[in-house]
Structures are given as structure tokens and as C-alpha cells.
């Protein structure tokens, strides 16, 4: 618990916001990826007939199977970490107001991230630049307190 005292919680909160879309992608796509790897394991490939002599590796099949099992382990671990992240992040995120979520998403979840977010929000919400900055800071502090306190 003492380590939390020395964490840069603002930077950690921003990193958590930026990871959200990646974690959502992992949760949505990993089960299909695992299924695809299992299907590759179950269906053997036919040899390619090129007319050239081939060097025979008697353990080639075993090596391929082990590589696929390792890949499944990595996918499962990644999926498990994404689920853990979501169970930690989503309750805090859902506790924010819609405006706070929108502001933080505009600043930290977009592809271009912070670029132009202030001006897009100024046009959308009809607030000054300084007011948008205050709202962003307040929303970030609110989320930080929900995540780390």
C-alpha cells in the first residue's frame, strides 16, 4: 500500500484511460483468436509439392503444436489481464457524469488523442478554453480518486 503513495496517479489515470479501447478490443476478439488457433491445431496441412527435396524434421509437427499451445497461453493471459482491468476501471468510469466521460474520452481516448480536443469541446459545449481545461482537470481528478482511493 505504501507504493501507491509514490505513484504518479495523474499519469497512471491517463494511461488507464488510454488503455480502455485496447482492453475492450482484446475482450471482444480474443475468444475468436483462441478458437482459430485451436482450429489450426486440429486440421493438418498438406505438404507443398515444389519438386525440390525437403529436409525432414521428425519433430516439426510437435514443434508446431507446442508453438500453438504457447500462443493459446499468451492469448488467455492477455484476455485475463483485460478482464481484470475492466473489473477495476469500468466501475470508476461509470461513476463519472456523462460530461466528465465525454471530456476525458475526447482528450485521452481518441486516435489523435489530445490534438484539437479543447477546440472541439469549446465548439460543442460553448465554454471558454480555460473553462474546458478546468473541467478536464476536475474530471481527471474525480476519476483518479475513484481509481486509486
Amino acid at each position: 500500500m505504501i507504493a501507491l503513495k509514490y505513484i504518479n496517479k495523474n499519469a497512471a489515470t491517463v494511461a488507464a484511460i488510454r488503455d480502455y479501447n485496447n482492453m475492450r478490443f482484446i475482450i471482444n476478439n480474443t475468444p475468436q483468436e483462441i478458437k482459430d488457433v485451436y482450429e489450426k491445431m486440429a486440421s493438418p496441412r498438406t505438404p507443398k509439392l515444389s519438386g525440390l527435396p525437403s529436409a525432414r524434421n521428425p519433430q516439426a509437427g510437435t514443434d508446431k503444436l507446442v508453438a500453438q499451445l504457447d500462443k493459446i497461453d499468451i492469448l488467455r493471459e492477455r484476455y485475463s489481464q483485460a478482464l481484470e482491468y475492466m473489473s477495476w476501471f469500468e466501475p470508476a468510469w461509470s461513476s463519472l457524469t456523462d460530461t466528465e466521460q465525454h471530456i476525458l474520452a475526447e482528450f485521452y481516448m481518441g486516435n489523435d488523442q489530445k490534438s484539437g480536443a479543447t477546440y472541439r469541446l469549446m465548439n460543442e459545449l460553448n465554454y471558454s478554453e480555460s473553462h474546458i481545461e478546468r473541467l478536464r482537470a476536475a474530471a481527471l481528478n474525480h476519476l483518479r480518486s475513484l481509481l486509486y482511493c
Side-chain angles (χ1 to χ4, degrees):
M1 214 37 141
I2 194 147
L4 283 178
K5 178 180 176 184
Y6 299 104
I7 271 183
N8 181 343
K9 293 176 187 164
N10 279 341
T13 302
V14 170
I17 295 168
R18 289 185 174 150
D19 285 345
Y20 181 80
N21 289 330
N22 291 333
M23 296 300 169
R24 176 63 50 212
F25 179 83
I26 289 168
I27 288 171
N28 291 338
N29 294 309
T30 300
Q32 183 60 43
E33 287 181 54
I34 291 172
K35 183 180 175 187
D36 292 345
V37 172
Y38 272 120
E39 286 176 6
K40 281 184 184 178
M41 288 172 42
S43 59
R45 288 196 228 163
T46 59
K48 294 180 182 176
L49 301 174
S50 66
L52 297 173
S54 63
R56 173 126 166 73
N57 179 357
Q59 292 189 351
T62 304
D63 292 345
K64 289 177 185 176
L65 184 62
V66 168
Q68 297 296 355
L69 290 172
D70 288 343
K71 187 174 182 176
I72 288 172
D73 287 344
I74 290 168
L75 289 170
R76 284 186 175 157
E77 179 62 27
R78 183 178 78 166
Y79 185 74
S80 172
Q81 288 173 354
L83 289 175
E84 185 179 341
Y85 165 88
M86 285 299 187
S87 69
W88 168 73
F89 185 80
E90 281 190 330
W93 183 258
S94 63
S95 296
L96 299 175
T97 66
D98 291 341
T99 303
E100 288 173 324
Q101 287 179 3
H102 180 63
I103 289 170
L104 292 176
E106 191 69 35
F107 273 95
Y108 303 112
M109 283 186 180
N111 291 336
D112 58 358
Q113 301 199 346
K114 202 171 178 179
S115 177
T118 301
Y119 297 106
R120 286 191 300 273
L121 288 167
M122 284 171 57
N123 289 334
E124 188 178 324
L125 302 174
N126 295 319
Y127 290 138
S128 69
E129 185 175 351
S130 61
H131 190 69
I132 294 292
E133 182 56 33
R134 281 193 302 274
L135 289 173
R136 184 201 60 79
L140 191 61
N141 286 337
H142 186 200
L143 182 60
R144 185 193 69 220
S145 69
L146 291 169
L147 290 172
Y148 298 107
C149 292

